[in-house]
Amino acid sequence: MTSQAKTSQVMTSEAIGSATARLLLEAGAIHVSRGRPYVLAAGWASPVYVDCRLLIGEPRFRHEAVRLAAAAVAIAMKPGSFDAIAGAETAGIPFASWLADTLDVPLRYVRKRQLGIGHNAQVEGGSVERLRVLLVDDLTSDATSKVSFASGLRQAGAVVTDVLTIFYHSAFPGAGDRLSGTGLSLHALATWDDVLRADLEEGLDGADRRLIEDFLADPVAWSMRHGGRSTLQAHRR
């Protein structure tokens, strides 16, 4: 993986986090609502929604996202530590595809569940039997879907120990225990810490920052007060 070795010489994890946060801000991917809260896929209420899919559309955004993802892989993993990349349905698939091209490794994708027709496969693109697979998705909140995707890959014969996402919505509890309990390590390009350290003139004003900071001070209580989940049960993302 020549690209891994090359990028690892010029970037640190902190630099990747800062660059990814600025990229998300520039792309308008961080949406703040001062009125009706967003309800995330996991059921939590939040005043802010991170839409990593906005990085897909414009070439300069996606090129930079993939460059940063390749740099993160170079830092977090040894060369040759995986045999293939699998994109998670749906937004993880384009990011996984571009990253697989950049690193010149085989590509697969994994569905949320078996299709129910044809081969009834959950993993597409070829066999993953005995392959070490890096799972790629756009965003992680409570990590339930990452565990499910990894389970689907493992049932198909893959060895899965690492997950790479563009953004980790690290506000809510449970993700760390859920991942470690299933033998998964999460590698995120950016978290809220990176966003709040970034130059907020690129996309957030003072009022939005204060709202986010108030939310992050106690996300579970904020969610409960605004009609979202208040427990660690029945989550999906």
Side-chain angles (χ1 to χ4, degrees):
M1 294 186 185
T2 304
S3 298
Q4 285 181 255
K6 190 178 296 183
T7 50
S8 66
Q9 297 174 3
V10 297
M11 296 204 79
T12 64
S13 295
E14 184 176 349
I16 292 169
S18 296
T20 303
R22 291 194 299 270
L23 181 66
L24 290 167
L25 288 165
E26 183 183 358
I30 299 176
H31 304 273
V32 179
S33 173
R34 301 182 195 177
R36 183 176 181 179
Y38 298 102
V39 177
L40 306 181
W44 300 107
S46 169
V48 62
Y49 175 71
V50 181
D51 188 359
C52 296
R53 290 164 294 189
L54 287 176
L55 301 180
I56 292 172
E58 295 298 324
R60 64 190 179 95
F61 292 151
R62 62 175 179 257
H63 292 165
E64 178 67 355
V66 174
R67 183 184 76 86
L68 294 168
V73 168
I75 291 172
M77 301 169 208
K78 295 179 180 178
S81 60
F82 55 89
D83 306 304
I85 291 174
E89 182 188 15
T90 56
I93 295 174
F95 292 114
S97 300
W98 297 320
L99 183 59
D101 274 353
T102 298
L103 300 181
D104 194 26
V105 296
L107 172 72
R108 305 290 189 265
Y109 75 85
V110 54
R111 301 180 187 276
K112 294 181 176 70
R113 59 191 65 84
Q114 292 180 338
L115 186 59
I117 60 174
H119 293 291
N120 196 32
Q122 188 171 357
V123 179
E124 302 284 9
S127 173
V128 292
E129 184 72 34
R130 293 188 296 275
L131 294 183
R132 297 165 299 169
V133 176
L134 171 63
L135 175 62
V136 173
D137 206 353
D138 65 325
L139 183 141
T140 296
S141 56
D142 71 1
T144 300
S145 72
K146 307 306 171 286
V147 171
S148 177
F149 286 129
S151 176
L153 287 163
R154 288 167 173 170
Q155 288 175 18
V159 176
V160 186
T161 58
D162 295 277
V163 181
L164 179 74
T165 62
I166 303 296
F167 190 79
Y168 175 29
H169 202 317
S170 51
F172 297 107
D177 290 343
R178 191 167 294 108
L179 289 163
S180 63
T182 51
L184 294 172
S185 296
L186 178 65
H187 311 283
L189 272 59
T191 67
W192 283 119
D193 288 340
D194 298 304
V195 171
L196 293 177
R197 280 196 300 263
D199 179 5
L200 298 184
E201 292 181 0
E202 295 186 35
L204 295 174
D205 62 22
D208 289 342
R209 180 187 178 94
R210 288 189 294 274
L211 182 58
I212 293 173
E213 289 176 334
D214 177 63
F215 159 69
L216 293 176
D218 194 341
V220 174
W222 199 100
S223 175
M224 182 174 62
R225 290 198 307 269
H226 293 84
R229 279 182 46 206
S230 59
T231 70
L232 299 184
Q233 299 176 355
H235 25 256
R236 301 186 301 275
R237 185 66 172 178

